[in-house]
């Protein structure tokens, strides 16, 4: 894999994805060493992404420096993102950035020489989530001849945009299920079309459910709605529970990037279909593999096994 920065899933070829996933799969048996420092810059809330990047860098033998919350950093004093990343670049060998503005990671990457990883830019992209999603799909359903349903907030969900882009590498059949108001943005649909993706859109899960290998459920991104009333109109509409899944194939894989609010009833958790906690745990080997590869390219922090 030869990328300086990871900003969008569109950058990833099938080969790139397989390189990361293969390395992730081998990590438990053959852990590489990277004594590098990773800078964590999270301008939006995060549990999984931030903690798993932190754990990953430490498990590689490196360490992390963390900007902390916006409230306690110099952002509060009016520092620009460009200045913040230029400063923190001097403290770290690679940077992970989450920011509420779409395009922020791309912009920030233009100011730094160390690898910068987009950990979510507004409603834009979240490519490392996609890598762990693909890892989970590969483990549970395989990546060939795949029919995937992606349901919920397709408009603001950045995990959706990245996953859909990446799945074009595998010629997956992609079904998008959402209310009309939360359909995929036109630009995302256009790019999928240009990439030759097989895309269909639905307002109901029912008709398509029996055909699915994977159902990827997402949270309605309340924080991105300009108007709270618009959120209330769609909240709670696309919830799945044991009854919903009665019509699903026995080997359906249910995924969710988490955090969930009420999209998946807790009763589903104990079933064999529920893979969302496993999915979250896969964040560590996958991010270890990615850091190892990016730092290897950058010529930093020790040797790979
Ligand atoms: C997602 C995100 O931040 O986009 N969370 C995550 O990283 N697992 C999904 C979400 O917040 O709904």
């Amino acid at each position: 894999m030869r990328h300086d920065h990871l900003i969008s899933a569109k950058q990833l070829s099938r080969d790139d994805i397989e390189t990361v996933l293969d390395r992730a799969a081998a990590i438990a048996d053959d852990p590489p060493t990277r004594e590098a420092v990773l800078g964590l810059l999270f301008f939006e809330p995060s549990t999984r992404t931030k903690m798993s990047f932190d754990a990953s860098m430490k498990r590689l033998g490196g360490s992390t420096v963390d900007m902390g919350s916006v409230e306690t950093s110099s952002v509060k004093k009016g520092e620009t993102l460009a200045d913040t990343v230029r400063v923190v670049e001097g403290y770290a060998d690679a940077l992970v950035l989450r920011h509420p503005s779409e395009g922020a990671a791309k912009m920030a990457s233009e100011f730094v020489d160390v690898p910068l990883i987009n950990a979510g830019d507004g409603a834009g992209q979240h490519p490392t989530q996609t890598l762990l999603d693909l890892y989970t799909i590969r483990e549970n359903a395989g990546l060939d001849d795949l029919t995937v349903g992606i349901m919920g907030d397709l408009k603001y969900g950045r995990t959706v945009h990245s996953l859909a882009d990446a799945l074009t590498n595998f010629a997956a059949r992609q079904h998008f299920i959402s209310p009309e108001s939360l359909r995929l943005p036109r630009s995302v649909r256009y790019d999928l079309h240009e990439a030759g993706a097989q895309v269909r859109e639905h307002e109901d899960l029912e008709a398509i459910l029996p055909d699915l290998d994977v159902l990827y459920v997402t949270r309605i991104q309340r924080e991105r709605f300009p108007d709270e009333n618009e959120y209330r109109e769609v909240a709670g509409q696309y919830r799945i529970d044991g009854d919903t899944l009665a019509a699903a194939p026995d080997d359906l894989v249910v995924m969710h990037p988490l955090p969930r609010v009420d999209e998946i009833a807790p009763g589903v958790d104990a079933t064999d279909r529920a893979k969302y906690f496993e999915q979250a745990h896969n964040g560590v080997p996958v991010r270890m593999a990615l850091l190892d590869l990016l730092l290897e390219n950058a010529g930093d922090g020790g040797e790979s096994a």
Side-chain angles (χ1 to χ4, degrees), residues 48-49 98 119 126 129 158-159 219 221 223 256-259:
R48 275 150 290 274
T49 306
R98 170 171 289 188
H126 192 350
Q129 177 69 42
R158 55 198 175 196
T159 67
R219 178 179 69 87
Q221 308 281 298
E223 66 277 26
H256 190 305
L258 302 178

Side-chain angles (χ1 to χ4, degrees), residues 103-141:
K106 174 89 185 80
M107 186 280 279
S109 72
E110 282 158 16
F111 289 89
V112 295
D113 291 325
V114 299
L116 185 142
I117 301 169
N118 181 8
D121 61 325
Q125 286 268 326
H126 192 350
T128 66
Q129 177 69 42
T130 294
L131 288 167
L132 72 93
D133 294 342
L134 294 173
Y135 187 87
T136 309
I137 295 173
R138 190 169 82 164
E139 295 270 290
N140 289 286

